[in-house]
Amino acid sequence: QVEYYSVSHQKWTTGFVAGTAQRGDNGRAVYTLTVGGFAQLRYCVELHNIRPPLEQQERVVVYRPDQDVWLEGQIAGDNPAATRVGYKVQLTEADVEIRDVPGHYIRRSFKAGVQVDVY
């Protein structure tokens, strides 16, 4: 299972990789995905539009459009339908949990010095 960013809908949705990587016209790896409740196929999806699902207690930053700021937090709770209904995020600086956060307002966050794989 992956999350797929739909450019046309401007949101993350649940999907599944349907096969192995292929080489796109620009030489980059592309994938075919099945997305949505009707298992629609999406072809030539580049890696920047795919991410692993966010997991419970994963470090993130969340955008608050009402304040125009990014705040540190972590995913609160396990919600398999989060790409449809939004995520719950526990903010680090305040003892506040915000709900129904759209996936496009959330980015993974890593502590300084932690090794990460970049594709």
Side-chain angles (χ1 to χ4, degrees):
Q1 181 175 341
V2 297
E3 291 183 1
Y4 159 69
Y5 186 75
S6 169
V7 175
S8 60
H9 293 102
Q10 297 185 345
K11 67 177 189 171
W12 289 94
T13 187
T14 301
F16 296 89
V17 176
T20 58
Q22 304 295 318
R23 187 173 302 273
D25 293 340
N26 59 8
R28 296 183 184 151
V30 294
Y31 293 85
T32 298
L33 304 180
T34 57
V35 298
F38 297 106
Q40 299 171 333
L41 289 173
R42 296 291 180 261
Y43 300 98
C44 298
V45 179
E46 293 189 10
L47 281 175
H48 65 269
N49 286 337
I50 304 171
R51 70 180 182 190
L54 298 167
E55 297 180 1
Q56 185 174 356
Q57 297 183 347
E58 186 169 355
R59 288 175 50 103
V60 296
V61 289
V62 60
Y63 180 64
R64 297 298 307 262
D66 55 328
Q67 301 169 5
D68 194 29
V69 295
W70 288 88
L71 302 172
E72 293 183 2
Q74 67 180 20
I75 299 296
D78 185 23
N79 184 356
T83 58
R84 287 195 320 273
V85 299
Y87 288 89
K88 291 186 283 187
V89 177
Q90 178 71 40
L91 297 179
T92 302
E93 293 297 319
D95 189 22
V96 175
E97 181 179 280
I98 52 177
R99 297 174 179 263
D100 306 327
V101 180
H104 59 279
Y105 283 172
I106 299 175
R107 303 285 184 266
R108 284 187 161 83
S109 177
F110 303 95
K111 288 184 179 180
V114 171
Q115 183 175 345
V116 297
D117 293 326
V118 179
Y119 298 90

